[in-house]
Amino acid sequence: MSGSPSMPAMTDAPAPVIFSYATINVRQHVPITLDLKLPNYTKWSAFFTAMCGKFGLLGHIDGSIPARPTDRTWSQPDACVRSWMYGCIDNSVLDLAMEPGQTVRDLFVAITNLFQANLETHAVVLGQEFHSMTQGDLSIDAYAQRMKHTADALRDVGHTVSEPQLVLNLLRGLNPRFANTADIIANAAVLPSFISAHNTLWLKELRLANDAKVSSDTALTAIAPSTTSATTACTSPSCRSSPSGTNHNGGGYGARGGGGKGKGKGGYGARGGNNGGGSSHPRRPRASWAGVPAPASSRLVLGSA
């Protein structure tokens, strides 16, 4: 109809969705930190590439998206991915791999080269550590985890450890108390996986700990009644200790000396016995015996009646 206002043309194209990559918490997707001292490059790379693939940014890592520094639709996502990488890498790695004006692809390649440099030297050291590893006082969990980390590090330098090798090396270094369980695992018709062998040894460790606890509780229960009965039984007069210095047979040092040849010989008293072989006349007692003064009541004064 002429003269009517024209309506804007309708299109089926959806409005662009603006997504802010800067709001993503990298720690929720990459829970480890890449470190030169830890053999975790393979694990870190798996986490990080999975995160980039989740948000459609894997092309910034593998180079499948050409670099367009002047295009904001490319430079902004690339800067966000680079900041993610900064947040999950140790400073010891960044100090060696970071350069001014790097793209994500450049930084990723530098980090990969850093961890894969001197591969053969690392392989020799890691191989020696792997084949000489023993459990010692470690738990089954800690021992298995340490061995798996070393195997992962060997894989990172191009020396992959097969599953049977990993299982047999785990059994070789076990504590002797797991010898029977190790023989059962090794003599199986089909060698179990590393996870299955670990689970079997872990259950055996729990069983040994429980047996030790039961034995300890049984020993304590057996000792407690015998101690109580011994304490209860000692109630007769013979168990009671006699007062110090008492002599029931007339021997020892009494206040009076005993008879001469009667039971027991009389001690040193204040007065000698009539038949004790001494003089019948009163004698002045010794002033002291073994440095102890005689009682005042038993002293005789010379010249008195």
Side-chain angles (χ1 to χ4, degrees):
M1 188 175 173
S2 60
S4 61
S6 61
M7 299 294 294
M10 301 296 294
T11 61
D12 295 332
V17 177
I18 300 176
F19 188 86
S20 178
Y21 298 106
T23 61
I24 298 174
N25 185 356
V26 66
R27 284 300 181 182
Q28 293 180 352
H29 304 275
V30 186
I32 63 174
T33 299
L34 182 63
D35 195 326
L36 285 175
K37 299 178 181 178
L38 301 176
N40 60 355
Y41 169 76
T42 299
K43 185 181 292 185
W44 174 85
S45 178
F47 278 124
F48 196 81
T49 54
M51 178 183 179
C52 293
K54 189 182 302 182
F55 297 107
L57 300 173
L58 189 58
H60 289 264
I61 296 293
D62 59 18
S64 59
I65 299 178
R68 302 188 303 272
T70 59
D71 186 352
R72 192 178 65 176
T73 60
W74 178 92
S75 61
Q76 182 179 0
D78 195 79
C80 288
V81 176
R82 200 162 60 249
S83 67
W84 294 347
M85 196 174 292
Y86 294 155
C88 58
I89 297 177
D90 187 73
N91 284 332
S92 61
V93 178
L94 288 176
D95 290 342
L96 297 174
M98 193 187 327
E99 295 291 342
Q102 278 179 319
T103 65
V104 171
R105 172 67 180 168
D106 294 337
L107 180 58
F108 190 80
V109 170
I111 292 173
T112 301
N113 292 337
L114 179 63
F115 278 88
Q116 293 183 351
N118 301 321
L119 298 184
E120 295 305 320
T121 303
H122 288 169
V124 171
V125 175
L126 291 171
Q128 182 178 3
E129 179 183 351
F130 179 78
H131 292 292
S132 63
M133 191 179 300
T134 57
Q135 180 184 3
D137 295 331
L138 296 174
S139 65
I140 290 296
D141 281 341
Y143 172 55
Q145 186 177 18
R146 180 183 173 192
M147 184 163 293
K148 186 64 167 58
H149 282 174
T150 307
D152 290 344
L154 281 169
R155 181 186 58 200
D156 289 345
V157 295
H159 292 263
T160 303
V161 178
S162 66
E163 187 87 359
Q165 286 178 317
L166 189 59
V167 173
L168 292 176
N169 199 61
L170 179 74
L171 301 180
R172 177 200 55 76
L174 283 171
N175 192 293
R177 63 196 182 112
F178 295 100
N180 292 336
T181 307
D183 291 341
I184 293 173
I185 296 173
N187 293 326
V190 178
L191 196 66
S193 65
F194 181 77
I195 296 298
S196 178
H198 163 267
N199 291 340
T200 302
L201 293 168
W202 179 70
L203 290 175
K204 181 63 175 180
E205 184 179 49
L206 291 180
R207 180 62 182 272
L208 291 175
N210 184 67
D211 290 347
K213 183 178 183 302
V214 171
S215 299
S216 177
D217 292 344
T218 303
L220 291 175
T221 304
I223 292 173
S226 60
T227 305
T228 304
S229 60
T231 305
T232 306
C234 189
T235 57
S236 61
S238 61
C239 292
R240 302 170 185 171
S241 59
S242 301
S244 172
T246 304
N247 192 317
H248 298 287
N249 295 322
Y253 304 101
R256 258 171 216 270
K261 295 183 179 181
K263 273 189 179 182
K265 292 186 178 181
Y268 298 102
R271 185 181 298 176
N274 292 331
N275 298 320
S279 173
S280 59
H281 298 286
R283 299 176 59 187
R284 180 181 179 183
R286 299 181 181 181
S288 64
W289 178 84
V292 180
S297 59
S298 64
R299 296 178 183 175
L300 297 180
V301 182
L302 295 178
S304 62

